[in-house]
């Protein structure tokens, strides 16, 4: 992906993570235009496949939607963010970003519980961890995604 796209996506993800931390929501006024921009960049990019990017977004959104319905704690903002991340990272990057975010969120939850900063019933924003997982994939693709693909 071109440097412009990487920088833009990183700034968007950081903004959404901070916004979710502060306000507890993911703003549609940022997510929807970002989805459109991501789709346009994936279409224009000679490296990415726009259909795979769209498929990745759908897969991630469905996975989080199902998880959210089962847990009844995850908001639709996280689902929309997962869709955006899927488009940004493609396949298999989107899956790696999602599981990286889940892993990082789990580590943070363990830390918060161990030090009694949060209780088991307390809510914790998920967007910062999804964003970190996506940024790891976007900026470290050659070190993370490529070696995983070689193993498969």
């Amino acid at each position: 992906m071109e440097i412009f796209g990487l920088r833009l996506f990183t700034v968007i993800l950081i903004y959404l993570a901070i916004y979710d931390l502060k306000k507890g929501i993911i703003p549609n006024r940022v997510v929807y235009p970002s989805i459109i921009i991501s789709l346009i960049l994936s279409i224009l990019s000679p490296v990415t496949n726009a259909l795979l990017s769209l498929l990745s977004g759908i897969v991630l959104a469905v996975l989080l939607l199902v998880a959210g319905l089962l847990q009844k704690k995850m908001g639709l903002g996280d689902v929309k963010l997962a869709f955006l991340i899927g488009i940004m990272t493609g396949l298999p990057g989107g899956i790696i970003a999602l599981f990286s975010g889940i892993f990082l969120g789990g580590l943070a939850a363990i830390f918060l519980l161990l030090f009694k900063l949060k209780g088991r019933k307390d809510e914790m924003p998920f967007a910062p961890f999804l964003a970190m997982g996506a940024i790891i994939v976007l900026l470290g693709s050659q070190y993370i995604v490529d070696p995983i693909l070689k193993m498969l």
Side-chain angles (χ1 to χ4, degrees):
M1 182 179 297
E2 296 80 27
I3 295 294
F4 170 76
L6 289 174
R7 288 180 181 170
L8 177 65
F9 293 159
T10 302
V11 168
I12 290 168
L13 290 167
I14 291 170
Y15 176 82
L16 291 172
I18 292 170
Y19 199 94
D20 191 33
L21 278 171
K22 287 185 173 185
K23 305 223 176 180
I25 61 168
I26 299 168
N28 288 336
R29 70 177 190 274
V30 176
V31 172
Y32 291 147
S34 299
I35 288 170
I36 293 168
I37 291 167
S38 297
L39 283 170
I40 291 169
L41 289 176
S42 71
I43 290 168
L44 296 176
S45 173
V47 178
T48 61
N49 181 322
L51 288 176
L52 278 180
S53 293
L54 184 60
L55 177 63
S56 177
I58 292 168
V59 167
L60 266 61
V62 168
L63 287 173
L64 274 194
L65 181 62
V66 169
L69 291 173
L70 293 174
Q71 291 183 346
K72 298 178 183 146
K73 292 206 177 209
M74 190 175 307
L76 286 178
D78 294 320
V79 174
K80 291 180 258 186
L81 178 58
F83 183 67
L84 172 62
I85 289 171
I87 295 169
M88 287 178 174
T89 58
L91 282 173
I95 302 296
I96 295 168
L98 177 64
F99 285 107
S100 297
I102 291 169
F103 178 75
L104 293 169
L107 286 178
I110 290 169
F111 175 84
L112 293 170
L113 288 170
L114 282 176
F115 290 99
K116 300 194 185 320
L117 299 171
K118 292 260 185 191
R120 291 189 58 195
K121 302 282 184 185
D122 291 339
E123 290 185 14
M124 187 171 81
F126 190 41
F129 305 104
L130 284 174
M132 281 191 277
I135 290 169
I136 288 168
V137 168
L138 287 169
L139 300 181
S141 179
Q142 64 192 12
Y143 304 109
I144 296 166
V145 178
D146 294 347
I148 290 172
L149 286 177
K150 286 180 184 172
M151 289 188 323
L152 302 175

